């Protein structure tokens, strides 16, 4: 296992730790949970940078990295929902998109289809989510309204990824059409 993949696995391990800290009764639990979230973000940037710079991109890494990101995002949204920081509607739309992305990515990966590398839209979406998560975690006004804006942007980003996926796998699409 190379360093970028180990960092992705580390991010997956951070998910239950984040949840345990967020829901603990420790006096500064929100601040510590936030620091865990920031650590996850830093390791996400680091593993991508290291993988590309040192040519350590692997097939398993292409699956682990987005999976680690999605699991942490889902955990954060779940913690916000259960602590009444966001509405069930915002959480439901968020969950629908992220779970659909995980399932579709796994489905196509195991069918041997090429995956779309991260692009600027995905990176901007992630940064925007982290900004909104900060607002919601510390109950900064308009956090949920901003969350809705980023969710809409994330659906646009998903549409871009889907169109790139279809173009990348055009030969497969033509063979599967009767």
């Amino acid at each position: 296992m190379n360093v970028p993949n180990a960092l992705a696995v580390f991010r997956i391990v951070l998910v239950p730790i984040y949840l345990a800290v967020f829901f603990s009764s420790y006096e500064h639990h929100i601040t510590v949970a936030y620091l865990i979230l920031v650590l996850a973000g830093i390791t996400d940037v680091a593993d991508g940078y290291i993988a590309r710079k040192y040519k350590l991109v692997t097939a398993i890494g292409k699956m682990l990295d987005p999976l680690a990101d999605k699991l942490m995002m889902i955990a954060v949204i779940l913690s916000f929902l259960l602590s009444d920081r966001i509405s069930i509607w915002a959480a439901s739309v968020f969950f629908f998109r992220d779970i659909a992305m995980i399932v579709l990515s796994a489905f196509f990966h195991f069918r041997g289809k090429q995956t779309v590398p991260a692009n600027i839209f995905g990176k901007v979406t992630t940064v925007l989510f982290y900004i909104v998560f900060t607002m919601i975690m510390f109950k900064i006004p308009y956090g949920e309204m901003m969350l809705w804006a980023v969710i809409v942007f994330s659906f646009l980003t998903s549409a871009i990824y889907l169109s790139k996926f279809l173009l990348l796998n055009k030969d497969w699409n033509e063979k599967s059409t009767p």
Side-chain angles (χ1 to χ4, degrees), residues 124-138:
V124 168
T125 301
T126 301
V127 168
L128 292 173
F129 270 122
Y130 273 86
I131 291 168
V132 168
F133 289 172
T134 301
M135 292 176 73
I136 293 170
M137 189 157 306
F138 294 107

Side-chain angles (χ1 to χ4, degrees), residues 7-17 64-65 67-69 71-72:
L7 288 172
V9 169
F10 176 68
R11 282 202 323 279
I12 292 170
V13 170
L14 285 178
V15 170
I17 296 169
L64 279 176
D65 180 61
L67 178 62
D69 297 343
L71 290 174
M72 182 57 83

Side-chain angles (χ1 to χ4, degrees), residues 96-162:
F96 171 78
R97 176 192 168 266
D98 274 37
I99 291 169
M101 287 182 65
I102 290 169
V103 169
L104 287 172
S105 293
F107 175 79
F108 289 119
H109 172 77
F110 290 117
R111 291 211 173 343
K113 304 305 157 226
Q114 295 182 40
T115 57
V116 177
N119 64 33
I120 189 66
F121 296 107
K123 293 177 189 306
V124 168
T125 301
T126 301
V127 168
L128 292 173
F129 270 122
Y130 273 86
I131 291 168
V132 168
F133 289 172
T134 301
M135 292 176 73
I136 293 170
M137 189 157 306
F138 294 107
K139 298 182 179 179
I140 297 170
Y142 307 108
E144 185 166 347
M145 182 180 74
M146 295 303 297
L147 175 61
W148 277 108
V150 177
I151 288 171
V152 168
F153 185 76
S154 74
F155 273 92
L156 294 173
T157 300
S158 296
I160 292 168
Y161 273 102
L162 180 59

